[in-house]
Amino acid sequence: MSWDKVKLGNVAEFSNGINFGKEAYAKGIKLISVSNFGNRFSPEYDSLEEIKDDVVRESDLLHNGDIIFVRSNGNKELIGRCMLIKDLPDKVTYSGFCIRARLKDTTKNDPVFWTYHFKNQAFRKAMSGTAIGANIQNLSQGRLSAYEAVIPDIDSQRRIAEILSTYDNLIENNQKQIKLLEEAAQRLYKEWFVDLRFPGYEDVEIVDGVPEGWKKELIGDLLRKVVRSKQVKTAEYLQEGTIPIIDQSRDFIAGYTNDPEAIVDMGYPIIVFGDHTRILKYIQFPFAKGADGTQLIISNNENMPQSLLYYSLVAVDLSNYHYARHFKYLKSENILVPTKKIAEKFDRYVSAILIQIQKLRDISDRSAESRDRILPKLMNGEIEV
């Protein structure tokens, strides 16, 4: 297997994403923003926002095989995160906080291999370490172009890509199963608590949208905010450790810590609500809090088990609330509190789904850890392919 040193600017061309005002958001062309990256290998197209067609030029559209990077963000760690564009469902563009790389000759350079190369910590450190800017960190086309890498021939690139893709294909399939399970639980919640087609509804009188024996209560009257435990600073996140860290701006697990003082010890499950992101997470294991203002909440009502509270909160529409006040508005919303019998029956059904979801997440986490261990060894030739 032969390896050659190349300069990235010789094998790829770059372009910054588009800039636009708030008035551009409308039905039209899907848009990839920094918030869509996470640790994904490729975008989740269904979750993308859209902007008007007339603000997007033909040259701004992404092609299969393109690789996009986070160009600018207040969090330096996010600089250089990347995703591979594949299986495009329709027209997709990308924001000005991103940079697109397009390989000039895919007969010599495999896009999947290069995406994995860019996800290697050596590249990530090179990009975040050279990022410039005062308050907002930046990654320029010039810095990407000047980056040098030692890569193997195209056949070896494809073999390496195939090995690593095995892990990500498993993770992607698990994510699809998780999505289906979550949708099934949400449908059940809607059937019982929105459409009021709960077990035995035929024999229950409903007055002003509230079944007999149920109550409509403010969320704020049902919640207890959990604020105890030490918060872990972003700079102290570990790639491996004994305690997973949950914060609102990352994927399900943002990192790890070994600090026992950071463990949240209120009992499980606990619901984590991102007061900036409006993201809700249902946590079924001991964890630590990331230092990002995430709210942790549990219910004090005996008729509101955590599974029911979680899907009641998921159903609340906070789309028009300013981010700094999300938790305030969440508490002021009303939800239905059913009888204990109905609550317990819902909990039995849905808790089984949530347990299965967590099992799939655990498998994905172990797969990601295995991939990340083998990735640098494949990229530096330590493992022959």
Side-chain angles (χ1 to χ4, degrees), residues 132-370:
I132 61 173
N135 297 320
I136 299 177
Q137 307 299 325
N138 292 283
L139 175 64
S140 69
Q141 295 184 33
R143 290 179 182 274
L144 280 170
S145 296
Y147 173 75
E148 292 185 340
V150 179
I151 63 168
D153 57 81
I154 184 65
D155 290 335
S156 299
Q157 289 180 36
R158 289 169 177 162
R159 286 196 294 272
I160 289 172
E162 185 177 3
I163 292 169
L164 294 169
S165 294
T166 302
Y167 296 98
D168 279 301
N169 289 340
L170 174 60
I171 293 170
E172 184 178 348
N173 287 334
N174 284 349
Q175 289 171 338
K176 290 178 181 178
Q177 291 185 60
I178 288 171
K179 184 177 181 180
L180 291 173
L181 289 168
E182 287 177 336
E183 289 173 350
Q186 289 173 19
R187 283 196 301 271
L188 185 65
Y189 175 84
K190 181 178 183 297
E191 181 182 350
W192 287 25
F193 298 98
V194 178
D195 301 333
L196 299 180
R197 295 294 190 264
F198 51 89
Y201 75 92
E202 302 93 338
D203 302 320
V204 177
E205 184 178 359
I206 296 176
V207 180
D208 295 329
V210 180
E212 183 180 5
W214 295 31
K215 296 179 181 179
K216 183 176 284 189
E217 297 193 25
L218 288 175
I219 291 174
D221 293 338
L222 299 173
L223 302 185
R224 175 157 48 106
K225 282 174 51 178
V226 182
V227 295
R228 293 195 296 233
S229 84
K230 175 182 177 181
Q231 289 182 300
V232 184
K233 297 179 180 178
T234 304
E236 298 173 352
Y237 288 10
L238 304 175
Q239 284 188 282
E240 296 182 4
T242 57
I243 307 168
I245 298 170
I246 303 296
D247 74 20
Q248 61 177 290
S249 59
R250 313 289 186 82
D251 289 340
F252 202 77
I253 295 178
Y256 295 87
T257 180
N258 293 319
D259 187 350
E261 294 183 5
I263 295 180
V264 176
D265 60 357
M266 295 298 295
Y268 303 95
I270 286 181
I271 299 167
V272 174
F273 172 69
D275 56 348
H276 288 204
T277 62
R278 295 167 295 176
I279 294 173
L280 284 153
K281 298 177 182 178
Y282 188 86
I283 311 299
Q284 303 177 70
F285 50 83
F287 67 99
K289 294 164 57 179
D292 65 354
T294 297
Q295 306 285 344
L296 309 178
I297 52 182
I298 62 176
S299 171
N300 287 327
N301 190 302
E302 66 175 3
N303 289 0
M304 187 61 72
Q306 288 295 80
S307 63
L308 177 54
L309 174 61
Y310 173 71
Y311 284 105
S312 297
L313 298 178
V314 168
V316 174
D317 181 12
L318 294 175
S319 59
N320 293 321
Y321 295 146
H322 186 271
Y323 78 88
R325 306 169 75 181
H326 284 159
F327 195 67
K328 171 185 175 181
Y329 284 115
L330 179 69
K331 292 191 295 183
S332 67
E333 293 281 350
N334 287 295
I335 58 174
L336 282 175
V337 180
T339 63
K340 188 173 184 178
K341 180 179 179 181
I342 292 297
E344 289 178 345
K345 182 169 289 191
F346 180 84
D347 185 50
R348 284 196 298 272
Y349 289 148
V350 175
S351 288
I353 293 176
L354 289 165
I355 289 171
Q356 181 60 28
I357 287 173
Q358 187 56 48
K359 287 179 179 178
L360 291 168
R361 285 202 179 103
D362 290 342
I363 293 171
S364 294
D365 289 342
R366 290 194 294 270
S367 298
E369 290 169 3
S370 297

Side-chain angles (χ1 to χ4, degrees), residues 85-121:
I85 303 303
K86 64 174 185 176
D87 303 325
L88 279 169
D90 205 342
K91 293 181 179 180
V92 179
T93 189
Y94 56 111
S95 81
F97 294 102
C98 306
I99 291 180
R100 183 208 72 205
R102 181 169 293 165
L103 297 172
K104 297 177 181 178
D105 186 352
T106 54
T107 65
K108 295 180 180 178
N109 293 282
D110 180 64
V112 179
F113 168 84
W114 273 104
T115 304
Y116 281 117
H117 180 93
F118 296 141
K119 287 183 175 291
N120 191 11
Q121 283 300 312

